[in-house]
Amino acid sequence: MQDNATEVTAAGIARLAGVGRAAVSNWRRRHADFPRPVGGTETSPAFALAEVEEWLRRHRKLAEVPLKERVWQQLAGHPDGPVTALVHAGCALLLIHDRPPVWLDISSGTDERLAALLPTALDEVLTPRVPGTARPGRTDRSRVNGQNPVNTQPAATPVTPATPATPATQATPATPPTPALAIPTALRLLPSVPLLRGVAELAADRGARPTFEFLLGRHLDANPRQYTLTPPDLAGLMAALAGTPATVLDPSCGTGALLRAVADRPDRRLHAQDSSPELAALTALRLALHTRAPVHAAAGDTLRADAYPGLRADAVLCHPPFNERNWGHDDLAYDPRWEYGFPARTESELAWVQHALARLRDGGTAVLLMPPAVASRRSGRRIRADLLRRGALRAVVALPAGAAPPYSVPLHLWVLRRPDRTHAQPELLLVDAGRFTAEGRGGPDWPGVREAVLDAWGAFDRDGGVEERPGVARSVPVIELLDDDVDLTPARRLPPPADTDGAGRLADVRARLDETLRLTAELAPPPAEPVPSAASGRLPLTTVGELARAGALVMRTGGHGGRARVPVLTDHDVLAGTAPSGTLPESEEEPVLTEPGDVVLPVLGGGAVARVVDDATAGAVLGRNLVLLRPDPAALDAWFLAGFLRGTANHRQASSYASTATRLDVRRLQLPRLAPDEQRRYGERFHALDAFERALREAGRLGEQLVRGMYDGLTDGTIAPE
């Protein structure tokens, strides 16, 4: 059976059955008929999905497999790998989206018939939507995990890569770019047919586009170290800076976030390229599902093998790879794209800047995400100087930390324009949006960032200058920047923010700290009194798992996607006691929403923490690595439940330990069997301890703010030492 080829790990089995991984391990030990591994490793075995589902049903541990979970497990365990499965699913979804009657016709017969008819149907859909899509050839080399998963033959007209003109400097030629997509053969599609039928069923309920976004989001979330993503808010800002272009290029497209941000009009022409064939294919499908505009996509090393050497785009949006040494320095010494100077080996980002300018029409705009070091490294100062002299570099925007990975670094945006005239008195716009950094891990204040950056850029682009805003924005004459360093870091060129009332604000912080310290003293728990030895007998215990089976509480786990613009409660928020601050990949997956009285626990990290949801936190989406317990008020007091779940010994006996992480099995957590009145007595004491803990945390935050403000005021002269 083809379905038996789909594999699932122990973690996948746990998700199917709604249990922890420890339960799966117990089943394997206790049940001789548990399915045998069919792949994986000794420490991480893989099982046949169909055999696992049959076993779970036979033992009544699986009432119903959610369709979305079944489809995801089929995709993740595909014999050719999840990327190939995702590409096949995307192709089918595009056919379902554009020509549903065709899909209904070819899917009405056997699996073999569907696999045989699908390539022709895909040809009719993909060729006009993704021009250049390769048709199936005689050779079939589309494999994953180190091989090309999407291209079954080279493009009909290969593009010659840019190489040095002088033979003495010419290295081994780069592989020519190939089409991002190739129509899979019937033989390659046959193992995917069960998955495609499940995908079609899911699309009938959710829609083709949301279904692909859900599957893509789950894949990216399951492989976070393999992909560098561009957050949607940042992509939207970069698209807004580019204006309303008709032709847009992303030469390092990744998962297509930047082009998706501009793909809302059918008259746009989109061009994408990425060195990763799998990302180029996924981007092509993602964009084709989001727009009626033609999507030109290619796989290949952009700097060594440009797929669009004759393109003159209205805009280039790019999130290039950072700090690459092997970008082609030895191969491309005489490349005509280096109009502003040959980049040093350590300046790969300046190679991407000049590539973007070379692909723009005169007057076209490029927006690139850059590491901050590019603005000040000495090895790039000559290229920066020439970009300024010729008016190509128009703005440098310092983003807040947390805007994009690496989240600890405040990245920059460079806005460039291919010169179409000589500027009499060229100026450079410098913007520092660092003030919009948000506390915690929720990312920056994006509405504030957008307003500050777009207001400054709009005025500068319209008038050639901008009214100075100390600490935020300034247009600087180029002549002031052409010194020995040509340092373009905004913070070093902007006047400090006006702070005429710095002392007054610190006085307010001090008053709030005094009040918080008084409140902390009032909330401090009274001296602990030991329980008499005669009364310290062990109470009868129960577990969370037993309470869930008895209906005293409902247990839910955090999701992998959800509705857009809904606050997400993360494990960091629970540990730090802060407001919901996270995001999840946008999808149609039904999120778990918190309600007042819910108890939320993180399952990773080993911290003995449980948080009772209040009115301020209610309505947030439950994030990853969190478990929500919703007690029946008639049977369980929420504060009693949360308090006992925080016991250190309780966590220790319910946790499993790996070499680098601790995982909590919430079902094994224990609490005593007590009458409702006794529960409320404990609950009141736990609630008071929570209030004391919050006051301590607020006092610490205000104290840090006061100390930081005093240091800043004393050093910048706004506060007197006496």
Side-chain angles (χ1 to χ4, degrees):
M1 293 174 56
Q2 291 294 343
D3 201 23
N4 277 338
T6 301
E7 298 177 2
V8 62
T9 64
I13 297 173
R15 289 184 62 86
L16 284 171
V19 299
R21 292 185 62 179
V24 178
S25 298
N26 288 335
W27 294 343
R28 292 185 63 195
R29 289 193 300 267
R30 294 168 50 194
H31 297 277
D33 63 337
F34 193 88
R36 300 299 180 189
V38 297
T41 64
E42 184 176 350
T43 56
S44 181
F47 307 84
L49 176 60
E51 294 179 4
V52 167
E53 289 182 340
E54 194 278 332
W55 186 91
L56 291 174
R57 288 192 181 96
R58 189 168 66 250
H59 288 263
R60 298 183 179 181
K61 300 183 183 297
L62 180 65
E64 180 181 357
V65 182
L67 176 61
K68 63 181 181 181
E69 191 62 37
R70 175 180 173 81
V71 171
W72 166 248
Q73 294 297 346
Q74 287 177 320
L75 187 146
H78 193 280
D80 284 335
V83 174
T84 293
L86 193 53
V87 170
H88 291 178
C91 290
L93 286 168
L94 187 59
L95 176 63
I96 293 168
H97 182 269
D98 283 10
R99 302 185 182 183
V102 175
W103 168 262
L104 291 175
D105 177 49
I106 66 175
S107 63
S108 60
T110 64
D111 288 358
E112 290 74 13
R113 178 178 182 270
L114 174 57
L117 296 179
L118 190 53
T120 301
L122 292 178
D123 188 10
E124 296 174 356
V125 172
L126 285 172
T127 301
R129 297 295 302 279
V130 186
T133 296
R135 292 178 171 85
R138 288 176 299 176
T139 59
D140 190 358
R141 56 185 178 86
S142 53
R143 296 290 177 184
V144 292
N145 298 329
Q147 299 176 351
N148 189 338
V150 293
N151 299 308
T152 59
Q153 66 178 26
T157 307
V159 182
T160 303
T163 54
T166 303
T169 63
Q170 188 166 356
T172 303
T175 302
T178 57
L181 280 174
I183 299 171
T185 63
L187 182 63
R188 297 303 308 279
L189 284 169
L190 188 57
S192 299
V193 169
L195 166 67
L196 301 186
R197 293 190 186 279
V199 165
E201 188 179 351
L202 194 59
D205 180 51
R206 295 168 171 247
R209 182 186 305 167
T211 296
F212 186 76
E213 289 296 320
F214 161 70
L215 295 174
L216 176 62
R218 284 285 291 267
H219 174 67
L220 298 176
D221 187 62
N223 302 275
R225 297 184 180 180
Q226 295 184 22
Y227 306 103
T228 300
L229 306 181
T230 306
D233 289 308
L234 176 58
L237 174 60
M238 294 174 68
L241 288 169
T244 56
T247 304
V248 188
L249 166 68
D250 185 347
S252 180
C253 63
T255 59
L258 292 174
L259 290 176
R260 184 188 171 195
V262 298
D264 55 348
R265 282 171 41 183
D267 58 342
R268 295 226 165 116
R269 295 179 297 279
L270 307 178
H271 295 76
Q273 183 172 353
D274 200 276
S275 59
S276 167
E278 62 183 52
L279 289 180
L282 295 177
T283 291
L285 290 167
R286 189 182 195 188
L287 294 175
L289 282 163
H290 276 84
T291 179
R292 301 298 304 181
V295 178
H296 302 267
D301 186 327
T302 295
L303 295 181
R304 288 189 176 93
D306 182 15
Y308 312 106
L311 180 65
R312 293 297 176 264
D314 298 312
V316 175
L317 301 175
C318 186
H319 178 175
F322 297 162
N323 304 316
E324 278 201 337
R325 294 299 183 97
N326 186 28
W327 60 267
H329 178 272
D330 295 336
D331 306 346
L332 305 172
Y334 297 94
D335 194 286
R337 289 173 292 183
W338 315 143
E339 296 182 48
Y340 302 88
F342 181 43
R345 189 183 302 276
T346 57
E347 295 288 353
S348 63
E349 296 86 3
L350 292 180
W352 285 97
V353 164
Q354 295 190 75
H355 172 81
L357 287 168
R359 295 297 160 262
L360 287 173
R361 64 165 176 81
D362 291 346
T365 303
V367 184
L368 285 86
L369 184 67
M370 308 287 275
V374 183
S376 58
R377 279 195 298 243
R378 290 190 60 82
S379 55
R381 65 187 186 279
R382 292 184 179 179
I383 295 178
R384 293 196 299 271
D386 206 29
L387 290 169
L388 292 173
R389 290 191 191 97
R390 298 171 61 180
L393 181 57
R394 306 301 295 141
V396 176
V397 177
L399 296 170
Y407 291 106
S408 59
V409 178
L411 301 174
H412 288 181
L413 289 178
W414 282 26
V415 184
L416 303 108
R417 183 159 287 161
R418 185 168 180 82
D420 57 353
R421 59 186 174 84
T422 302
H423 293 266
Q425 293 180 331
E427 294 189 346
L428 176 71
L429 174 66
L430 297 177
V431 180
D432 188 351
R435 62 186 293 185
F436 297 104
T437 300
E439 295 183 3
R441 295 172 55 188
D445 172 15
W446 279 112
V449 173
R450 282 183 63 92
E451 181 180 3
V453 173
L454 295 180
D455 284 354
W457 171 249
F460 180 81
D461 193 34
R462 181 180 62 251
D463 305 327
V466 65
E467 183 179 351
E468 182 176 293
R469 294 179 59 190
V472 178
R474 176 192 176 201
S475 54
V476 183
V478 165
I479 192 66
E480 292 186 19
L481 302 169
L482 296 177
D483 52 21
D484 290 340
D485 296 323
V486 196
D487 190 338
L488 309 181
T489 305
R492 295 172 185 159
R493 300 287 182 173
L494 293 174
D499 196 4
T500 56
D501 194 31
R505 288 193 300 106
L506 288 181
D508 179 62
V509 172
R510 174 59 187 267
R512 290 163 57 198
L513 176 60
D514 289 343
E515 178 63 27
T516 303
L517 289 174
R518 283 194 294 270
L519 177 62
T520 304
E522 294 174 2
L523 294 174
E529 297 182 3
V531 177
S533 57
S536 61
R538 184 174 177 82
L539 296 171
L541 299 176
T542 186
T543 66
V544 169
E546 291 173 350
L547 291 171
R549 286 191 292 272
L553 58 82
V554 175
M555 188 168 74
R556 304 288 300 276
T557 57
H560 293 261
R563 303 163 185 156
R565 300 183 179 88
V566 177
V568 176
L569 184 68
T570 68
D571 54 348
H572 182 271
D573 299 330
V574 174
L575 292 168
T578 55
S581 65
T583 58
L584 287 174
E586 182 179 349
S587 76
E588 290 301 312
E589 179 177 357
E590 189 65 27
V592 178
L593 301 180
T594 59
E595 298 179 2
D598 289 345
V599 177
V600 180
L601 302 88
V603 296
L604 293 179
V609 176
R611 178 172 175 177
V612 178
V613 175
D614 55 17
D615 291 334
T617 310
V621 175
L622 189 69
R624 296 184 295 268
N625 301 322
L626 290 176
V627 169
L628 178 146
L629 304 178
R630 183 164 294 160
D632 179 355
L636 278 175
D637 180 83
W639 285 104
F640 161 77
L641 174 64
F644 272 97
L645 297 187
R646 288 192 60 169
T648 302
N650 201 3
H651 268 248
R652 187 180 299 119
Q653 64 85 25
S655 297
S656 57
Y657 302 92
S659 57
T660 59
T662 302
R663 186 173 187 87
L664 177 68
D665 185 352
V666 176
R667 290 177 178 272
R668 294 173 56 186
L669 288 171
Q670 299 175 335
L671 62 160
R673 298 177 183 271
L674 296 178
D677 290 343
E678 192 68 11
Q679 288 185 32
R680 282 190 287 272
R681 283 186 58 212
Y682 275 99
E684 290 171 0
R685 188 66 180 270
F686 287 137
H687 196 173
L689 283 174
D690 179 78
F692 176 62
E693 183 180 37
R694 289 173 182 267
L696 282 176
R697 190 181 292 118
E698 178 68 7
R701 188 185 67 81
L702 291 171
E704 291 179 2
Q705 186 177 344
L706 178 62
V707 170
R708 183 171 62 250
M710 289 295 296
Y711 270 110
D712 291 345
L714 288 168
T715 55
D716 63 23
T718 58
I719 296 178
E722 296 179 356

